[in-house]
Amino acid sequence: MITAERKPLEEIIEYVRPFGKILLVGCNECVTVCSAGGRKEVGLLSSALQMAFMKEGKMLEIKEMTLERQCDPEYVEELSGHINQVDAVLSMACGCGVQEIAQRYREKPVFPAVNTKFMGASERQGVWSERCQGCGNCLLGLTGGICPVARCSKRLLNGPCGGSTKGKCEINPEIDCAWQLIWDRLKALGQEERYSDIIPAKDWRPSRDGGPRKIIREDLAS
Amino acid sequence: MDTFEPIIVAFCCHYCAYTAADMAGSMRLHYPPNVKIVRVPCSGKVDAIHIMKAFEKGADGVYVAGCLEGDCHFKNGNVKASRRVKYIKELLDEIGIGGERVEMVTMSAGMGPQFAKTAIEMTEKIRKLGPNPVKDMAAKRRRAVGQG
Amino acid sequence: MSMPEKEHINNNNRVLVVGGGLGGIKAALDLAEADIDVVLIDKAPSIGGIMTQLDRTFPTNNCDLCTLSPHLAESSRTQHIDLKPLTTLTALSGTVGQFTATLTTKPRFIDLSKCTACGECFKQFPECVQFTPGLDHRAPTCMRYPQSTPYAFSIHIDQCKDIDALKNVCPTHAIFDTDSERSFSLEVGAVILAPGAELFDSNELSNYGKGMYPNVVTGLEYERILSASGPTGGILARPSDGNQPAKIAWIQCAGSRSQNKAALPYCSSVCCMYGLKEAIVTKERFRDDIETVIFYMDMRTFGKDYELYYQRAKKDFGVRFIRSRPHSIELDPNGEDLCITYVPEKGTEPKTETFDMAVLATGFRIQPELIELASSLGIDVNEYHFAQTDYFHPVETSRKGVYVCGLFESPKDIPETMVQGSAAACLASGDLNASKAISDQDDEEAFVPERDISGEEPRIGIFICDCGYNIGGVINVEDLARYAGSLPEVIVAEPVGHGCSKESLEKIQASIRANKLNRIVIGGCSPRTHENLFQDVIRKTGLNKYLVQMANIRDQVTWVHADQPVEAFNKAKDLIRMATASVALTRPLIEHALEMNNDVLVVGGGVSGMTSALTLADKGFKVYLVERDPDLGGVAKNIRKTIEGQDVGPFIQQLIERTTQHERIEVLTRSHIVDHYGMPGLFTTGLQIGPRMYYRKIQHGVTILATGALPNRPAKYLLDEHQAVMTQMDLDAFIKDNSDRVKAWEKLVMIQCVGSRVPENPNCSRVCCQAAIKNALEIQKINPGIKIIILYRDIRTYGFHEDYYRKAREQGIIFSRYDTDREPKVRESGDRVIVSFIDHVLEREVDVEADCLALSTGFVADEESTEDLSRIFHLPRTNDGYFLEEHIKLRPVDLPIPGFYVAGTAHAPKSIKESIAQAQAAAGRAFTMLTKKAINLGASVARVDGNKCAACLICVRACPFGVPFINADGYSEIDPAKCQGCGVCAAECPAKAIQLMRFEDDRIMAKLNGLLEEVI
């Protein structure tokens, strides 16, 4: 899932300060699952903003909505009946959702209420970690199912650096060394010999070198 | 100016705090009338939004009262509630309402005197903090409009 | 509503309960709860007994009516109880299981099915309408109390001169003069005698001027004066001039503990507590305006937590105590004041003090009609005419199948009466021919179909209780109702007096029907105690039971803000507004049910545990009896004899044999409870068993805790340091094993209250006074020349034990009182010890060299095991470590979690006899639940809105019981049968897809909105 984290309230407050009436839009996908921008966070942020402005003697009218997904035009269309009644939109979705709204409602300012962080997994309740950077050319088949691109601080492809100490990363001792994990995993699979296979220098073209990417499935595309 | 009488919402779990409140009643322990109880089955049922909304609507203080740690009728609802209260404290600090206006307290069903004591202490504390700034500003504005 | 007359023909499968006081009502309700038919008769026109005349009960100072009336209303509601007022039992033939009872019903001259208790007959012909004499004669109605059951008048036909005129005033034509006394016979399987006792008539005591001086009243009359429903409407006015008294004396033991020919030799067990209660309630209401003084001989506060009540009276309320029995009360020559003459404890000169009023704390005695009843039934009575029972069979009379509970067995307080009521019901149910062990619940309710309210706008009815003074004494209930009526969607708002009384409940039902109400708010007490009652009541009108909301304006307002009436009224408005806003959003809910487990877990293998286990196993239930020691028997194994002279040993031996050999009892010794989960009716408890601690899980539907208490052994007075010093229990064994050495003793000293009634263990251990006197008398038998001195604080030989105290004094045993600030001192002197104490008459220190010093060390709670068990089972305990029951007065056996019951000294210190009764009562209470096939899970469960669910798993991870799962459709599903209703999932769900029924977000928000309306 795409993970996100609410922006500092101060920043959000500055975004919406010029407006009298805003639409606060949550998303019922990834940001709900990572407790950053679902129906509940919408309620909390709405209440916090109301209070912050009331305390200044200012009224901010907030209309709360949560869409099934903000990254699909059909769902974003649901805002159309409300968009004209507000001065701006504050989105709690990831960057995809914010842009989808910006694209559909061109005359209405839209602001992000969360910082989109990474593609990750839940370690346990309330803890998420980065797992994938969308490099466009998956290496997991070579590395025992652990991604050196997303999980090694230096994105090294052929073993750890000299900073790997007792299985931890020199950048932050709380981060596991990805190559230690890969080694442990290969050992568990009885595939130690794969560790010595050289992974060639990564072709970053499928990643960001050619600018924004697109996927088109001819069979599905209309 | 009149002495400020805070409005305090106490979310009380059915099995401990609410029972303790009943016991404070049958023991005729006096505590300030400022405290109004909302009964919930477990302190873990208290949603962060309920606490925020209480302040938004003008409560001056809120506390969540659950069972003693380890004694929760539902195992660990009180621990969850206490984490949520901590989160709300930070949120209130961020918007300048003051995190000290919300507290988590625990007590057992038999602790009627503790219920009364908590109510007294919380009322005193909020009285010192003064009115919820949200409410204060709203009142000022109302007055201004009235005069204008 | 009238009681349908049930005519069973030739049906022995029911129980006759004689007497509709608390004990009888309790027995009848327990039987009815177990689906057994009961015929409940009472000689009075309505049931309730003495308790209905009390103002409040100790130690909670609750109003009695409030705690009793739900029971009364319940008893008339329950289908299984056939109530026959004005009826007496005149003969009983046959044997157990096949009795034929002859009953006689006096004419009421009123058709119960027509009388609405409008009071017209009483208004116009007060002389014709029956009343209870005494202070009641100015009562606002002639019914014994306003909540009477059945709710109808009765006519005194002899007093009536113009019967036709009387008949004509009745708007419903309920009065008919042709009514006559009727005798009829009834087949029953067992009989429970709960006829109560009467109060000693203090007019027989010439020295206290009762009957001559108007300001001398009895305790019960004083209760009536204090009562909101009493003759003065609750205004404390002394009878002579209606003025509020400034100084009141209580005289304890008025007519009790006395060899005076008119008086009663025994102790009535409750008068100390009610004297204290009346003094405290007076102080609570009038503070320093009234001085209260209690004259007493020994303060007998031996019940659970009663000692604390005594200390509160002294320390918090400033009640003055004078240890002396006054010689006389005389009229002050200058008016109606009273001069009380007494000899103070320290001194010989009489003193006289003047009071405005005197209250005589009179005890109980058996009235002639009960002596007659006992003889016509052929049951044995003791020398004071109380029903004789065997020590080890405390509720069984000498006639098989005839049981006794309450005052007729011996003078006692309400909790012991309730215990005996449940015990008697339990045993009586075993005598029925075809005791229905498990019944269908289909016929439970005379089923009123539920009204569909979907599509209806909320039509809210608000009913506000005054609860006597409890609410009405602090805030104006009329004004509150008027305010409530102004709230949106409210159709009616009205005060209902005692809302839980039968009369008010019917009024509420009528209003619901007449006004087509679909949401109800009760402004009254706690939903914890009364929600069930109001749910049942609205259900009977066809509304879903969850459409009611209670606003707790008593416990949370008037009881705690009585000193701020204005603020209290405003807060009451707030609470009513909150409840009203919330009730508008309530929706009808469906309840869920599961099949129940009918096995029993009994924890503790002492007398209580074994008795409970055997009682239920005999009824056909499988019982697991868990004991942590290697052997059964408990503390009682160390007791040789009772004060009455019964041998304890053979009794215990027989109990152990029966228990271990019973085919339905599985005894698990050396076993410890380590974990527990489940719900009432479907518990699972984990045990570690035996020396190898193997783990085993037991499934059971109910749990009885009989874990006992520990003999106390404080390191005081050289105990365990000097061989001459021992506890009473040690001495008991020593007498048996070393009678030769006892014969050689010259002096024996006993010290009472060692380690009891002290800050570390504040309560009285209840049994030590009788144990000390038992041992002293026994030693005197062996060694008549011995000098025995008993150093005490108060001698608490309650009930008939007083006889032994008297006998001990008559036989020369010396009783010398000590104060806690001048405790006795003990030092070594060779094989003997020297005990120094202050002689409280001589005011001088006295040294006694004793061969033996026996310490009455009593009980302490078994802190270790009650702490563990209370944690594992989530049960509350008292401050001193005993299990805390659901209601200290009315539900002394039930623990706060349904399906848990307590028996014996795990509840509080008590004697073997009292433990047996409570063990039978616990079995009886468990039996009422075990007769059910299914358990109702209620409706407070979490529900998922699949459309909103993001399948994020947060609920799956957050649920403390692991109930939610993501179903095949890809959203979270919560099985209502497994959901425990905590609501944690609802609070954590990031998509707000989960709602906990009854505590939905919109209802909680409605409460906040209601409270904070217009604040911003």
Side-chain angles (χ1 to χ4, degrees):
Chain A
M1 111 195 83
I2 297 169
T3 61
E5 205 173 26
R6 202 196 62 233
K7 280 178 173 289
L9 279 167
E10 219 174 319
E11 188 184 338
I12 302 174
I13 288 168
E14 288 315 311
Y15 281 141
V16 298
R17 187 180 293 288
F19 306 105
K21 196 166 176 189
I22 63 164
L23 192 56
L24 176 56
V25 191
C27 174
N28 205 30
E29 280 294 334
C30 312
V31 288
T32 293
V33 178
C34 69
S35 294
R39 230 169 255 107
K40 181 187 190 106
E41 294 298 319
V42 165
L44 280 171
L45 178 62
S46 162
S47 190
L49 287 177
Q50 297 270 18
M51 280 194 267
F53 283 105
M54 279 158 95
K55 198 177 62 97
E56 294 176 6
K58 181 174 176 294
M59 282 304 283
L60 175 66
E61 220 178 294
I62 304 178
K63 161 97 186 147
E64 300 172 24
M65 280 183 86
T66 296
L67 303 184
E68 187 57 37
R69 262 198 309 282
Q70 281 190 33
C71 50
D72 272 313
E74 288 87 342
Y75 290 122
V76 172
E77 193 58 35
E78 289 170 16
L79 299 179
S80 64
H82 309 274
I83 200 89
N84 288 329
Q85 294 149 33
V86 298
D87 306 325
V89 180
L90 184 60
S91 166
M92 296 200 86
C94 66
C96 314
V98 179
Q99 295 181 57
E100 196 59 35
I101 290 173
Q103 180 166 328
R104 167 65 185 81
Y105 305 105
R106 287 173 179 280
E107 321 73 51
K108 212 50 84 177
V110 57
F111 302 97
V114 302
N115 290 323
T116 307
K117 305 288 272 201
F118 50 78
M119 285 179 273
S122 329
E123 272 187 31
R124 57 194 150 88
Q125 181 84 308
V127 180
W128 298 273
S129 326
E130 181 156 17
R131 291 287 182 265
C132 177
Q133 289 201 333
C135 71
N137 185 7
C138 193
L139 299 171
L140 287 168
L142 306 175
T143 57
I146 288 153
C147 178
V149 178
R151 300 176 73 174
C152 167
S153 303
K154 297 176 181 169
R155 304 184 184 179
L156 297 178
L157 298 183
N158 288 293
C161 69
S164 173
T165 316
K166 292 181 182 165
K168 297 291 176 185
C169 174
E170 68 176 344
I171 299 284
N172 180 343
E174 282 180 16
I175 297 175
D176 289 324
C177 170
W179 276 103
Q180 178 74 48
L181 297 176
I182 292 168
W183 169 248
D184 292 346
R185 171 88 171 129
L186 289 175
K187 225 164 60 173
L189 293 169
Q191 298 176 358
E192 289 98 324
E193 77 284 356
R194 302 201 64 161
Y195 186 68
S196 47
D197 293 351
I198 301 294
I199 300 175
K202 187 168 167 58
D203 177 3
W204 289 100
R205 275 172 303 179
S207 182
R208 289 277 301 148
D209 80 320
R213 291 165 285 178
K214 204 174 244 187
I215 300 171
I216 301 171
R217 276 273 301 268
E218 299 289 354
D219 57 332
L220 300 175
S222 55
Chain B
M1 204 182 124
D2 310 310
T3 51
F4 157 57
E5 287 301 339
I7 301 174
I8 297 171
V9 177
F11 290 101
C12 291
C13 79
H14 176 85
Y15 288 92
C16 290
Y18 194 90
T19 309
D22 278 359
M23 179 166 265
S26 58
M27 291 171 82
R28 310 297 196 280
L29 302 172
H30 290 234
Y31 59 82
N34 308 59
V35 172
K36 331 279 171 174
I37 293 174
V38 174
R39 183 168 69 113
V40 285
C42 173
S43 55
K45 168 71 183 79
V46 181
D47 197 314
I49 294 179
H50 300 153
I51 301 175
M52 289 295 280
K53 288 282 176 193
F55 285 111
E56 188 188 322
K57 302 275 173 193
D60 301 292
V62 175
Y63 62 98
V64 179
C67 306
L68 294 175
E69 209 174 315
D71 278 352
C72 174
H73 185 81
F74 299 106
K75 295 188 183 173
N76 56 6
N78 51 355
V79 178
K80 293 192 162 84
S82 131
R83 280 196 223 126
R84 252 172 254 154
V85 167
K86 194 164 159 259
Y87 179 71
I88 295 299
K89 273 176 175 289
E90 287 163 11
L91 208 53
L92 291 175
D93 276 335
E94 248 187 295
I95 55 172
I97 305 294
E100 63 275 29
R101 291 183 183 274
V102 60
E103 289 300 341
M104 174 80 199
V105 296
T106 60
M107 62 191 73
S108 76
M111 290 163 79
Q114 181 63 32
F115 182 87
K117 191 164 161 257
T118 305
I120 292 165
E121 287 171 358
M122 194 69 190
T123 309
E124 277 316 303
K125 181 174 152 185
I126 303 295
R127 216 191 287 277
K128 279 198 197 105
L129 288 173
N132 174 353
V134 166
K135 179 167 74 174
D136 215 28
M137 202 56 210
K140 274 185 198 143
R141 202 184 48 224
R142 235 192 339 265
R143 268 201 299 280
V145 170
Q147 282 160 1
Chain C
M1 231 164 56
S2 68
M3 293 294 304
E5 192 78 16
K6 272 195 189 171
E7 283 309 330
H8 302 258
I9 300 154
N10 278 341
N11 182 359
N12 284 116
N13 218 10
R14 63 185 160 190
V15 178
L16 173 66
V17 178
V18 180
L22 267 188
I25 291 175
K26 182 68 190 164
L29 284 177
D30 273 11
L31 288 163
E33 228 181 297
D35 285 327
I36 292 165
D37 289 337
V38 181
V39 177
L40 175 61
I41 66 171
D42 196 288
K43 64 175 195 290
S46 60
I47 59 171
I50 290 175
M51 187 170 166
T52 55
Q53 296 175 53
L54 307 182
D55 179 45
R56 286 148 190 249
T57 57
F58 49 81
T60 54
N61 285 4
N62 271 1
C63 151
D64 289 326
L65 290 174
C66 128
T67 38
L68 180 61
S69 29
H71 290 247
L72 291 189
E74 210 179 326
S75 66
S76 71
R77 288 182 307 158
T78 311
Q79 291 190 332
H80 292 288
I81 301 176
D82 181 3
L83 177 61
K84 295 190 185 297
L86 291 167
T87 302
T88 48
L89 171 63
T90 41
L92 185 72
S93 62
T95 54
V96 58
Q98 294 167 324
F99 288 119
T100 302
T102 308
L103 304 179
T104 305
T105 301
K106 286 219 172 67
R108 184 187 275 268
F109 303 105
I110 287 184
D111 183 344
L112 272 182
S113 61
K114 291 181 183 165
C115 177
T116 60
C118 66
E120 273 308 307
C121 55
F122 179 63
K123 262 184 236 154
Q124 300 199 23
F125 297 94
E127 71 283 359
C128 305
V129 181
Q130 208 149 300
F131 61 86
T132 309
L135 277 170
D136 255 6
H137 67 282
R138 283 167 297 169
T141 82
C142 65
M143 287 180 296
R144 296 252 312 266
Y145 61 112
Q147 286 78 24
S148 78
T149 302
Y151 194 62
F153 286 71
S154 70
I155 300 295
H156 219 300
I157 209 83
D158 313 336
Q159 309 278 329
C160 201
K161 293 183 191 79
D162 186 349
I163 290 169
D164 286 335
L166 175 68
K167 277 160 75 175
N168 285 334
V169 302
C170 180
T172 61
H173 310 291
I175 301 174
F176 65 114
D177 54 336
T178 50
D179 201 1
S180 59
E181 185 168 295
R182 290 185 303 130
S183 264
F184 54 101
S185 62
L186 193 76
E187 313 276 302
V188 296
V191 179
I192 295 173
L193 301 177
E198 68 173 8
L199 280 164
F200 176 77
D201 182 359
S202 47
N203 286 310
E204 293 173 22
L205 297 174
S206 51
N207 53 334
Y208 289 154
K210 176 75 174 95
M212 294 190 292
Y213 315 141
N215 294 329
V216 177
V217 298
T218 66
L220 190 60
E221 286 167 345
Y222 189 75
E223 298 261 356
R224 295 304 300 154
I225 295 174
L226 280 180
S227 169
S229 67
T232 56
I235 294 162
L236 178 47
R238 67 173 191 172
S240 69
D241 49 17
N243 292 335
Q244 181 177 310
K247 191 174 174 190
I248 307 175
W250 274 261
I251 296 177
Q252 300 304 116
C253 302
S256 297
R257 298 182 62 192
S258 165
Q259 292 298 92
N260 182 322
K261 65 175 177 352
L264 313 167
Y266 53 86
C267 161
S268 280
S269 302
V270 298
C271 329
C272 282
M273 278 305 283
Y274 84 62
L276 281 177
K277 173 192 68 179
E278 290 169 1
I280 287 179
V281 170
T282 305
K283 275 291 189 187
E284 252 178 356
R285 268 177 65 187
F286 302 98
R287 317 240 158 162
D288 293 339
D289 294 345
I290 298 184
E291 187 186 346
T292 54
V293 179
I294 296 181
F295 289 94
Y296 72 109
M297 300 199 293
D298 296 284
M299 189 47 66
R300 295 190 164 172
T301 48
F302 53 86
K304 185 173 186 174
D305 278 351
Y306 288 2
E307 182 70 15
L308 302 174
Y309 194 76
Y310 173 33
Q311 297 306 327
R312 263 170 69 201
K314 259 202 262 193
K315 290 181 188 135
D316 300 351
F317 291 98
V319 177
R320 183 150 69 94
F321 289 86
I322 298 176
R323 191 185 284 269
S324 173
R325 194 206 296 254
H327 165 266
S328 62
I329 300 177
E330 271 157 4
L331 206 57
D332 186 287
N334 306 319
E336 294 289 346
D337 291 351
L338 305 167
C339 299
I340 297 185
T341 306
Y342 65 98
V343 181
E345 189 187 20
K346 289 168 188 161
T348 46
E349 284 305 303
K351 281 176 74 170
T352 299
E353 224 178 298
T354 309
F355 293 86
D356 297 331
M357 245 180 117
V359 182
L360 304 180
T362 51
F364 300 116
R365 69 175 176 193
I366 296 300
Q367 57 270 46
E369 69 203 55
L370 290 188
I371 301 175
E372 218 172 281
L373 175 71
S375 94
S376 74
L377 297 182
I379 61 165
D380 294 347
V381 294
N382 72 9
E383 58 177 313
Y384 307 120
H385 311 293
F386 287 83
Q388 183 72 55
T389 61
D390 176 66
Y391 187 91
F392 298 117
H393 301 92
V395 298
E396 297 167 47
T397 68
S398 57
R399 184 164 176 189
K400 204 163 157 32
V402 179
Y403 304 91
V404 61
C405 66
L407 292 175
F408 187 40
E409 188 270 332
S410 68
K412 63 174 62 67
D413 188 11
I414 292 167
E416 281 94 53
T417 297
M418 299 306 264
V419 163
Q420 288 193 339
S422 288
C426 176
L427 299 187
S429 66
D431 291 340
L432 303 188
N433 299 337
S435 165
K436 292 178 281 183
I438 293 175
S439 76
D440 296 326
Q441 277 163 304
D442 305 343
D443 57 348
E444 272 267 295
E445 303 226 349
F447 211 70
V448 184
E450 207 166 285
R451 184 155 77 79
D452 180 13
I453 61 155
S454 57
E456 287 180 24
E457 289 297 308
R459 294 179 62 84
I460 302 173
I462 303 182
F463 301 97
I464 298 179
C465 308
D466 63 25
C467 203
Y469 270 99
N470 286 293
I471 296 172
V474 176
I475 59 173
N476 185 321
V477 173
E478 301 271 345
D479 287 350
L480 187 59
R482 213 164 295 127
Y483 169 77
S486 73
L487 296 172
E489 295 171 326
V490 174
I491 307 297
V492 268
E494 54 194 29
V496 285
H498 286 277
C500 54
S501 67
K502 184 168 174 280
E503 173 202 8
S504 300
L505 295 176
E506 280 167 15
K507 194 171 149 192
I508 292 169
Q509 288 176 320
S511 178
I512 293 173
R513 290 194 185 96
N515 297 298
K516 296 201 168 52
L517 303 176
N518 56 20
R519 304 285 192 291
I520 308 300
V521 171
I522 305 291
C525 59
S526 176
R528 287 178 50 253
T529 53
H530 282 65
E531 193 174 63
N532 284 342
L533 173 69
F534 288 109
Q535 286 181 333
D536 282 6
V537 162
I538 77 153
R539 178 64 192 83
K540 293 219 162 86
T541 66
L543 282 181
N544 181 279
K545 64 188 262 196
Y546 292 104
L547 298 172
V548 62
Q549 171 91 38
M550 290 182 76
N552 191 348
I553 59 170
R554 187 189 70 182
D555 303 41
Q556 289 171 20
V557 180
T558 54
W559 274 358
V560 287
H561 311 314
D563 53 341
Q564 294 168 277
V566 176
E567 288 82 355
F569 184 71
N570 287 333
K571 182 170 170 184
K573 277 164 61 181
D574 289 343
L575 299 195
I576 294 287
R577 208 167 55 239
M578 290 163 77
T580 308
S582 156
V583 84
L585 302 174
T586 55
R587 315 163 240 274
L589 296 173
I590 306 163
E591 297 189 328
H592 305 274
L594 274 184
E595 198 179 324
M596 111 150 227
N597 182 308
N598 295 95
D599 295 346
V600 180
L601 174 65
V602 176
V603 188
V607 168
S608 305
M610 288 191 283
T611 304
S612 289
L614 283 167
T615 310
L616 286 170
D618 285 345
K619 283 184 178 296
F621 298 99
K622 163 88 188 172
V623 181
Y624 298 94
L625 179 64
V626 173
E627 167 61 47
R628 69 175 168 192
D629 284 348
D631 308 304
L632 298 177
V635 172
K637 269 190 312 216
N638 308 319
I639 299 170
R640 191 178 38 91
K641 267 189 176 179
T642 68
I643 191 168
E644 290 86 350
Q646 287 85 3
D647 287 323
V648 179
F651 165 72
I652 303 277
Q653 219 37 59
Q654 197 201 350
L655 210 53
I656 294 173
E657 269 163 38
R658 275 202 65 209
T659 304
T660 47
Q661 286 163 15
H662 203 292
E663 57 174 4
R664 278 186 292 272
I665 301 179
E666 184 174 344
V667 178
L668 300 162
T669 51
R670 294 192 200 193
S671 299
H672 297 262
I673 286 170
V674 289
D675 57 48
H676 172 85
Y677 59 90
M679 66 185 86
L682 268 181
F683 294 122
T684 303
T685 299
L687 302 168
Q688 278 180 341
I689 300 172
R692 299 167 70 182
M693 310 276 274
Y694 79 89
Y695 181 79
R696 175 171 170 191
K697 274 187 191 313
I698 285 175
Q699 309 213 308
H700 52 108
V702 299
T703 315
I704 294 175
L705 296 181
T707 51
L710 297 176
N712 195 3
R713 208 170 178 93
K716 272 197 94 172
Y717 302 124
L718 303 181
L719 180 63
D720 293 324
E721 288 173 41
H722 193 288
Q723 55 164 6
V725 183
M726 55 184 86
T727 67
Q728 292 291 357
M729 213 184 269
D730 299 337
L731 179 60
D732 185 289
F734 193 88
I735 299 169
K736 185 171 164 233
D737 303 334
N738 304 284
S739 63
D740 289 347
R741 286 176 62 190
V742 173
K743 269 181 201 155
W745 285 352
E746 287 169 24
K747 283 178 187 159
L748 164 65
V749 177
M750 295 182 176
I751 304 178
Q752 299 303 105
C753 300
V754 179
S756 296
R757 301 176 65 196
V758 291
E760 312 86 83
N761 185 27
N763 275 299
C764 168
S765 287
R766 191 173 181 129
V767 297
C768 330
C769 284
Q770 63 200 62
I773 290 170
K774 170 188 77 173
N775 283 340
L777 289 172
E778 185 70 18
I779 287 171
Q780 246 190 359
K781 249 190 242 164
I782 302 170
N783 176 356
I786 193 168
K787 183 171 182 182
I788 303 178
I789 300 170
I790 300 182
L791 304 176
Y792 72 101
R793 288 168 63 193
D794 292 278
I795 288 292
R796 295 183 168 174
T797 43
Y798 57 94
F800 305 130
H801 296 136
E802 182 70 13
D803 290 349
Y804 299 96
Y805 178 33
R806 192 174 54 250
K807 185 175 168 198
R809 277 178 309 171
E810 282 165 4
Q811 293 183 188
I813 293 172
I814 296 165
F815 288 82
S816 176
R817 220 177 56 72
Y818 73 88
D819 287 319
T820 42
D821 51 351
R822 295 194 298 188
E823 285 187 345
K825 292 192 226 37
V826 179
R827 62 181 190 273
E828 197 178 325
S829 172
D831 287 349
R832 298 177 170 183
V833 288
I834 294 174
V835 183
S836 323
F837 59 95
I838 311 277
D839 183 302
H840 65 285
V841 179
L842 303 175
E843 278 288 301
R844 220 183 55 200
E845 193 165 67
V846 179
D847 276 0
V848 175
E849 188 167 354
D851 299 281
C852 173
L853 170 64
L855 305 178
S856 290
T857 49
F859 286 113
V860 281
D862 185 353
E863 282 270 6
E864 206 181 308
S865 66
T866 61
E867 193 185 340
D868 280 353
L869 292 175
S870 76
R871 207 187 49 244
I872 293 170
F873 292 134
H874 294 294
L875 292 167
R877 295 186 302 157
T878 61
N879 279 335
D880 41 358
Y882 293 98
F883 287 112
L884 181 61
E885 61 275 36
E886 169 96 327
H887 189 286
I888 193 162
K889 278 290 190 202
L890 298 175
R891 293 168 79 82
V893 186
D894 299 56
L895 290 169
I897 298 181
F900 275 90
Y901 309 93
V902 65
T905 50
H907 163 263
K910 53 177 66 69
S911 68
I912 295 176
K913 175 181 169 181
E914 291 159 343
S915 293
I916 293 171
Q918 205 185 11
Q920 290 170 336
R925 295 294 304 142
F927 175 61
T928 62
M929 185 161 163
L930 291 168
T931 53
K932 308 288 179 271
K933 260 185 188 167
I935 34 181
N936 187 341
L937 301 170
S940 187
V941 293
R943 252 185 227 167
V944 181
D945 177 346
N947 289 324
K948 287 183 175 169
C949 176
C952 68
L953 292 165
I954 285 179
C955 55
V956 177
R957 294 175 189 146
C959 176
F961 307 96
V963 179
F965 64 99
I966 305 298
N967 65 15
D969 295 330
Y971 60 85
S972 164
E973 188 173 318
I974 295 172
D975 181 353
K978 291 189 186 143
C979 176
Q980 309 276 308
C982 66
V984 163
C985 55
E988 301 243 315
C989 174
K992 302 274 17 137
I994 309 181
Q995 292 293 334
L996 179 68
M997 298 300 103
R998 304 194 67 208
F999 297 93
E1000 298 90 343
D1001 287 320
D1002 59 351
R1003 283 184 68 188
I1004 290 180
M1005 282 310 304
K1007 280 191 186 174
L1008 294 175
N1009 290 338
L1011 170 64
L1012 298 163
E1013 192 168 82
E1014 287 169 22
V1015 169
I1016 288 194

